[in-house]
Each structure stands twice: as structure tokens, then as C-alpha cells.
Amino acid sequence: MSSNPLPLRPHHGMCMAYFVGRGYSDAFSAHMAALLEELEPGSPVRLTVGTDAVCAACPNNVGGMCHKPELVAGYDRSVLELCGLGEGYILSFGDFADLVQERVLDQGMRREICGDCQWDGICSVQPSRWSRRAGNASASGD
């Protein structure tokens, strides 16, 4: 793998799974769409419980900190635990997406982890893009 893995919050594996072009702002939505387009299954990512590549265009990123740091760190820790990973782990984006799908979404854990998120209404009504990529039958993981 490349020596420059993309920093990625673990819970963003779920956000990316359900992203449909709506977000905090037009700039955020365009940035997320571009990341999803650019990330290849073999692209290396480094899991971080802190601001990451997705956060770069988020209006809630103030000085490199999320405006709800404990809430989103809790989401991150839950995903790490369920996937058997740790902060700082480096793996391919494809392997990470597969783990999120298999160990979080397919197990119905998404709503338990982040059902209080403002975007829950989007995530709960459509299939995960990772289920399509992996050929899984799971829909929303609820």
C-alpha cells in the first residue's frame, strides 16, 4: 500500500455507504461525492478518531475539531470495536468498506450506533452502496 493513506473516521464508512448527494452544504456534498469517486478498493486509509478527509469540507469542522466531538467519537469507537480494528489501523478502503458492511450494517447495528444522527432518515430508507459492491443482500442494516 501507498505510504500516504487517506485519514478516515471509522463512522464515515457508514456515512459513505448511504450518501445520496445531500449533506451539510453544497460544498460538503460535492466533496463527499468526489471522495467516493476517487477512492478505489485498493486505496489505503488510516482510521482516525478525529477530523479526516470527509471533515475537510464540513461546516461543522471548526479549527480542525467537530462541533460535537464526543458524539462522533462515540460513533467511531463503536465501528472500530465491531470491526475488530483500532485507531491508526491502515487497510485498504475496500477491506474497510467490507468490514463495515459485514460487521456493522449486515448485523443491524447502524441505527444503534448513529440513529440519533440528523441524517438517519436518509440511511434508513435505502440500501448501502457497500452491499451492492460486495454482492450482499442487506438493505439498510436496521
Side-chain angles (χ1 to χ4, degrees), residues 27-70:
F28 175 85
S29 295
H31 179 70
M32 177 74 100
L35 280 174
L36 281 166
E37 188 71 28
E38 293 169 16
L39 279 169
E40 299 289 331
S43 299
V45 296
R46 180 182 41 81
L47 302 178
T48 182
V49 179
T51 53
D52 68 356
V54 173
C55 299
C58 182
N60 296 322
N61 176 357
V62 180
M65 287 288 296
C66 180
H67 81 293
K68 294 184 180 180
E70 290 307 312

Tab-separated table of all heavy atoms in Angstrom, residues 27-70:
chain	number	residue	atom	x	y	z
A	27	ALA	N	-21.030	22.438	-0.851
A	27	ALA	CA	-19.593	22.162	-0.919
A	27	ALA	C	-19.282	20.827	-0.251
A	27	ALA	O	-18.481	20.038	-0.759
A	27	ALA	CB	-18.796	23.287	-0.258
A	28	PHE	N	-19.913	20.547	0.888
A	28	PHE	CA	-19.700	19.271	1.563
A	28	PHE	C	-20.162	18.117	0.675
A	28	PHE	O	-19.455	17.123	0.517
A	28	PHE	CB	-20.446	19.224	2.902
A	28	PHE	CG	-20.344	17.881	3.562
A	28	PHE	CD1	-19.257	17.570	4.358
A	28	PHE	CD2	-21.322	16.916	3.370
A	28	PHE	CE1	-19.144	16.320	4.951
A	28	PHE	CE2	-21.221	15.668	3.954
A	28	PHE	CZ	-20.130	15.370	4.746
A	29	SER	N	-21.347	18.249	0.099
A	29	SER	CA	-21.886	17.187	-0.753
A	29	SER	C	-20.993	16.936	-1.964
A	29	SER	O	-20.732	15.773	-2.314
A	29	SER	CB	-23.303	17.538	-1.224
A	29	SER	OG	-24.172	17.582	-0.107
A	30	ALA	N	-20.499	17.995	-2.575
A	30	ALA	CA	-19.597	17.840	-3.727
A	30	ALA	C	-18.301	17.160	-3.301
A	30	ALA	O	-17.776	16.291	-4.014
A	30	ALA	CB	-19.314	19.207	-4.353
A	31	HIS	N	-17.792	17.519	-2.143
A	31	HIS	CA	-16.558	16.920	-1.632
A	31	HIS	C	-16.746	15.431	-1.350
A	31	HIS	O	-15.899	14.609	-1.716
A	31	HIS	CB	-16.114	17.671	-0.373
A	31	HIS	CG	-14.882	17.132	0.263
A	31	HIS	ND1	-13.631	17.243	-0.313
A	31	HIS	CD2	-14.699	16.462	1.418
A	31	HIS	CE1	-12.739	16.662	0.463
A	31	HIS	NE2	-13.362	16.172	1.519
A	32	MET	N	-17.850	15.072	-0.703
A	32	MET	CA	-18.122	13.664	-0.394
A	32	MET	C	-18.274	12.863	-1.683
A	32	MET	O	-17.725	11.762	-1.806
A	32	MET	CB	-19.380	13.537	0.455
A	32	MET	CG	-19.765	12.089	0.745
A	32	MET	SD	-18.729	11.269	1.960
A	32	MET	CE	-19.779	11.426	3.389
A	33	ALA	N	-18.990	13.406	-2.651
A	33	ALA	CA	-19.168	12.717	-3.931
A	33	ALA	C	-17.816	12.512	-4.610
A	33	ALA	O	-17.547	11.431	-5.165
A	33	ALA	CB	-20.120	13.506	-4.834
A	34	ALA	N	-16.951	13.518	-4.557
A	34	ALA	CA	-15.625	13.401	-5.176
A	34	ALA	C	-14.788	12.338	-4.463
A	34	ALA	O	-14.106	11.546	-5.119
A	34	ALA	CB	-14.905	14.753	-5.149
A	35	LEU	N	-14.841	12.294	-3.141
A	35	LEU	CA	-14.099	11.264	-2.395
A	35	LEU	C	-14.571	9.868	-2.785
A	35	LEU	O	-13.757	8.970	-3.014
A	35	LEU	CB	-14.270	11.450	-0.892
A	35	LEU	CG	-13.420	12.500	-0.216
A	35	LEU	CD1	-13.828	12.653	1.249
A	35	LEU	CD2	-11.940	12.165	-0.320
A	36	LEU	N	-15.882	9.689	-2.854
A	36	LEU	CA	-16.415	8.377	-3.222
A	36	LEU	C	-15.996	7.983	-4.636
A	36	LEU	O	-15.764	6.811	-4.920
A	36	LEU	CB	-17.938	8.365	-3.091
A	36	LEU	CG	-18.441	8.212	-1.663
A	36	LEU	CD1	-19.924	8.550	-1.576
A	36	LEU	CD2	-18.177	6.801	-1.165
A	37	GLU	N	-15.911	8.960	-5.505
A	37	GLU	CA	-15.492	8.698	-6.890
A	37	GLU	C	-14.006	8.341	-6.958
A	37	GLU	O	-13.607	7.473	-7.722
A	37	GLU	CB	-15.781	9.946	-7.739
A	37	GLU	CG	-15.571	9.761	-9.211
A	37	GLU	CD	-16.619	8.880	-9.863
A	37	GLU	OE1	-17.757	8.826	-9.381
A	37	GLU	OE2	-16.272	8.236	-10.877
A	38	GLU	N	-13.199	9.011	-6.151
A	38	GLU	CA	-11.747	8.835	-6.205
A	38	GLU	C	-11.245	7.601	-5.469
A	38	GLU	O	-10.230	7.018	-5.844
A	38	GLU	CB	-11.049	10.070	-5.617
A	38	GLU	CG	-11.235	11.323	-6.443
A	38	GLU	CD	-10.774	12.581	-5.707
A	38	GLU	OE1	-10.048	12.467	-4.693
A	38	GLU	OE2	-11.176	13.671	-6.140
A	39	LEU	N	-11.919	7.222	-4.392
A	39	LEU	CA	-11.448	6.090	-3.589
A	39	LEU	C	-11.651	4.776	-4.333
A	39	LEU	O	-12.766	4.424	-4.684
A	39	LEU	CB	-12.177	6.044	-2.239
A	39	LEU	CG	-11.637	6.971	-1.175
A	39	LEU	CD1	-12.599	7.048	0.009
A	39	LEU	CD2	-10.259	6.532	-0.711
A	40	GLU	N	-10.574	4.094	-4.558
A	40	GLU	CA	-10.598	2.767	-5.185
A	40	GLU	C	-10.578	1.732	-4.070
A	40	GLU	O	-10.089	2.008	-2.969
A	40	GLU	CB	-9.369	2.587	-6.083
A	40	GLU	CG	-9.264	3.584	-7.218
A	40	GLU	CD	-10.297	3.338	-8.302
A	40	GLU	OE1	-10.705	2.163	-8.473
A	40	GLU	OE2	-10.706	4.306	-8.963
A	41	PRO	N	-11.048	0.514	-4.337
A	41	PRO	CA	-10.989	-0.518	-3.291
A	41	PRO	C	-9.593	-0.717	-2.702
A	41	PRO	O	-9.460	-0.981	-1.508
A	41	PRO	CB	-11.485	-1.777	-4.007
A	41	PRO	CG	-12.387	-1.258	-5.073
A	41	PRO	CD	-11.750	0.037	-5.528
A	42	GLY	N	-8.550	-0.551	-3.503
A	42	GLY	CA	-7.187	-0.745	-3.012
A	42	GLY	C	-6.554	0.481	-2.391
A	42	GLY	O	-5.437	0.407	-1.891
A	43	SER	N	-7.262	1.615	-2.380
A	43	SER	CA	-6.712	2.835	-1.788
A	43	SER	C	-6.514	2.655	-0.288
A	43	SER	O	-7.429	2.225	0.414
A	43	SER	CB	-7.666	4.018	-2.006
A	43	SER	OG	-7.872	4.283	-3.368
A	44	PRO	N	-5.329	2.997	0.237
A	44	PRO	CA	-5.111	2.847	1.678
A	44	PRO	C	-5.793	3.951	2.476
A	44	PRO	O	-5.811	5.111	2.070
A	44	PRO	CB	-3.589	2.933	1.806
A	44	PRO	CG	-3.163	3.757	0.650
A	44	PRO	CD	-4.134	3.455	-0.459
A	45	VAL	N	-6.377	3.560	3.600
A	45	VAL	CA	-6.965	4.513	4.534
A	45	VAL	C	-6.370	4.254	5.914
A	45	VAL	O	-5.990	3.130	6.239
A	45	VAL	CB	-8.507	4.429	4.581
A	45	VAL	CG1	-9.118	4.822	3.246
A	45	VAL	CG2	-8.994	3.056	5.009
A	46	ARG	N	-6.256	5.317	6.697
A	46	ARG	CA	-5.787	5.226	8.081
A	46	ARG	C	-6.939	5.664	8.964
A	46	ARG	O	-7.435	6.784	8.864
A	46	ARG	CB	-4.584	6.130	8.328
A	46	ARG	CG	-4.068	6.070	9.777
A	46	ARG	CD	-2.899	7.007	10.044
A	46	ARG	NE	-3.011	8.313	9.444
A	46	ARG	CZ	-3.718	9.330	9.946
A	46	ARG	NH1	-4.394	9.191	11.050
A	46	ARG	NH2	-3.729	10.483	9.323
A	47	LEU	N	-7.409	4.779	9.821
A	47	LEU	CA	-8.554	5.066	10.669
A	47	LEU	C	-8.163	6.016	11.790
A	47	LEU	O	-7.169	5.804	12.476
A	47	LEU	CB	-9.127	3.763	11.222
A	47	LEU	CG	-9.555	2.768	10.141
A	47	LEU	CD1	-10.070	1.489	10.777
A	47	LEU	CD2	-10.589	3.375	9.199
A	48	THR	N	-8.963	7.064	11.947
A	48	THR	CA	-8.671	8.092	12.937
A	48	THR	C	-9.940	8.509	13.661
A	48	THR	O	-11.006	8.604	13.050
A	48	THR	CB	-8.008	9.318	12.289
A	48	THR	OG1	-7.708	10.272	13.305
A	48	THR	CG2	-8.885	9.979	11.243
A	49	VAL	N	-9.820	8.719	14.964
A	49	VAL	CA	-10.928	9.267	15.739
A	49	VAL	C	-10.639	10.759	15.886
A	49	VAL	O	-10.241	11.246	16.926
A	49	VAL	CB	-11.063	8.557	17.107
A	49	VAL	CG1	-12.215	9.151	17.914
A	49	VAL	CG2	-11.268	7.060	16.912
A	50	GLY	N	-10.775	11.428	14.779
A	50	GLY	CA	-10.508	12.861	14.687
A	50	GLY	C	-10.902	13.315	13.293
A	50	GLY	O	-11.374	12.513	12.487
A	51	THR	N	-10.708	14.569	13.007
A	51	THR	CA	-11.102	15.056	11.691
A	51	THR	C	-10.324	14.320	10.604
A	51	THR	O	-9.182	13.915	10.802
A	51	THR	CB	-10.908	16.581	11.569
A	51	THR	OG1	-9.575	16.916	11.928
A	51	THR	CG2	-11.888	17.332	12.459
A	52	ASP	N	-10.984	14.140	9.469
A	52	ASP	CA	-10.431	13.335	8.384
A	52	ASP	C	-10.680	13.988	7.039
A	52	ASP	O	-11.026	15.169	6.967
A	52	ASP	CB	-11.033	11.918	8.433
A	52	ASP	CG	-12.523	11.885	8.085
A	52	ASP	OD1	-13.139	12.947	7.874
A	52	ASP	OD2	-13.068	10.765	8.012
A	53	ALA	N	-10.522	13.216	5.992
A	53	ALA	CA	-10.712	13.721	4.632
A	53	ALA	C	-12.151	14.163	4.387
A	53	ALA	O	-12.400	15.136	3.674
A	53	ALA	CB	-10.306	12.654	3.615
A	54	VAL	N	-13.130	13.476	4.968
A	54	VAL	CA	-14.533	13.862	4.801
A	54	VAL	C	-14.793	15.175	5.533
A	54	VAL	O	-15.453	16.066	5.006
A	54	VAL	CB	-15.478	12.750	5.315
A	54	VAL	CG1	-16.931	13.208	5.297
A	54	VAL	CG2	-15.304	11.470	4.494
A	55	CYS	N	-14.251	15.308	6.724
A	55	CYS	CA	-14.460	16.506	7.548
A	55	CYS	C	-13.893	17.776	6.907
A	55	CYS	O	-14.299	18.878	7.268
A	55	CYS	CB	-13.805	16.339	8.915
A	55	CYS	SG	-14.408	14.980	9.917
A	56	ALA	N	-12.970	17.612	5.987
A	56	ALA	CA	-12.290	18.775	5.403
A	56	ALA	C	-13.271	19.807	4.846
A	56	ALA	O	-13.002	21.003	4.910
A	56	ALA	CB	-11.316	18.322	4.318
A	57	ALA	N	-14.415	19.365	4.315
A	57	ALA	CA	-15.375	20.302	3.724
A	57	ALA	C	-16.625	20.485	4.582
A	57	ALA	O	-17.602	21.075	4.140
A	57	ALA	CB	-15.777	19.811	2.332
A	58	CYS	N	-16.607	19.991	5.808
A	58	CYS	CA	-17.790	20.075	6.672
A	58	CYS	C	-17.847	21.431	7.374
A	58	CYS	O	-16.869	21.850	7.992
A	58	CYS	CB	-17.762	18.952	7.705
A	58	CYS	SG	-19.214	18.958	8.787
A	59	PRO	N	-18.993	22.096	7.317
A	59	PRO	CA	-19.113	23.381	8.014
A	59	PRO	C	-19.077	23.239	9.539
A	59	PRO	O	-18.893	24.223	10.240
A	59	PRO	CB	-20.463	23.932	7.540
A	59	PRO	CG	-21.213	22.769	7.011
A	59	PRO	CD	-20.203	21.765	6.554
A	60	ASN	N	-19.217	22.019	10.042
A	60	ASN	CA	-19.140	21.783	11.489
A	60	ASN	C	-17.710	21.527	11.953
A	60	ASN	O	-17.483	21.279	13.133
A	60	ASN	CB	-20.036	20.609	11.888
A	60	ASN	CG	-21.492	20.909	11.629
A	60	ASN	OD1	-21.952	22.026	11.826
A	60	ASN	ND2	-22.215	19.915	11.161
A	61	ASN	N	-16.753	21.574	11.044
A	61	ASN	CA	-15.331	21.442	11.351
A	61	ASN	C	-14.814	22.846	11.634
A	61	ASN	O	-14.641	23.656	10.732
A	61	ASN	CB	-14.600	20.812	10.159
A	61	ASN	CG	-13.105	20.731	10.353
A	61	ASN	OD1	-12.541	21.187	11.340
A	61	ASN	ND2	-12.443	20.159	9.360
A	62	VAL	N	-14.587	23.124	12.905
A	62	VAL	CA	-14.129	24.449	13.318
A	62	VAL	C	-12.720	24.309	13.877
A	62	VAL	O	-12.520	23.711	14.929
A	62	VAL	CB	-15.077	25.057	14.370
A	62	VAL	CG1	-14.599	26.440	14.797
A	62	VAL	CG2	-16.504	25.108	13.853
A	63	GLY	N	-11.762	24.800	13.128
A	63	GLY	CA	-10.374	24.734	13.564
A	63	GLY	C	-9.858	23.315	13.713
A	63	GLY	O	-9.058	23.040	14.599
A	64	GLY	N	-10.335	22.425	12.866
A	64	GLY	CA	-9.886	21.047	12.906
A	64	GLY	C	-10.597	20.183	13.940
A	64	GLY	O	-10.192	19.055	14.191
A	65	MET	N	-11.665	20.710	14.524
A	65	MET	CA	-12.450	19.964	15.515
A	65	MET	C	-13.920	19.978	15.124
A	65	MET	O	-14.451	21.014	14.729
A	65	MET	CB	-12.322	20.603	16.900
A	65	MET	CG	-10.996	20.403	17.577
A	65	MET	SD	-10.743	18.718	18.141
A	65	MET	CE	-12.019	18.557	19.368
A	66	CYS	N	-14.562	18.827	15.273
A	66	CYS	CA	-16.002	18.731	15.061
A	66	CYS	C	-16.713	19.486	16.180
A	66	CYS	O	-16.252	19.492	17.323
A	66	CYS	CB	-16.422	17.259	15.064
A	66	CYS	SG	-18.198	17.017	14.810
A	67	HIS	N	-17.837	20.086	15.867
A	67	HIS	CA	-18.564	20.815	16.912
A	67	HIS	C	-19.253	19.877	17.907
A	67	HIS	O	-19.713	20.314	18.953
A	67	HIS	CB	-19.550	21.815	16.298
A	67	HIS	CG	-20.838	21.240	15.834
A	67	HIS	ND1	-20.930	20.377	14.773
A	67	HIS	CD2	-22.097	21.396	16.304
A	67	HIS	CE1	-22.189	20.021	14.610
A	67	HIS	NE2	-22.919	20.618	15.521
A	68	LYS	N	-19.301	18.563	17.596
A	68	LYS	CA	-19.836	17.558	18.525
A	68	LYS	C	-18.809	16.430	18.666
A	68	LYS	O	-19.076	15.285	18.304
A	68	LYS	CB	-21.164	17.015	18.023
A	68	LYS	CG	-22.282	18.023	18.004
A	68	LYS	CD	-23.577	17.378	17.588
A	68	LYS	CE	-24.691	18.407	17.587
A	68	LYS	NZ	-25.967	17.801	17.174
A	69	PRO	N	-17.618	16.730	19.192
A	69	PRO	CA	-16.536	15.746	19.172
A	69	PRO	C	-16.825	14.455	19.932
A	69	PRO	O	-16.459	13.372	19.474
A	69	PRO	CB	-15.344	16.491	19.776
A	69	PRO	CG	-15.945	17.608	20.563
A	69	PRO	CD	-17.219	17.973	19.849
A	70	GLU	N	-17.466	14.524	21.080
A	70	GLU	CA	-17.725	13.304	21.860
A	70	GLU	C	-18.756	12.420	21.173
A	70	GLU	O	-18.638	11.194	21.192
A	70	GLU	CB	-18.152	13.649	23.283
A	70	GLU	CG	-17.025	14.232	24.109
A	70	GLU	CD	-15.776	13.359	24.100
A	70	GLU	OE1	-15.879	12.134	24.306
A	70	GLU	OE2	-14.673	13.904	23.883
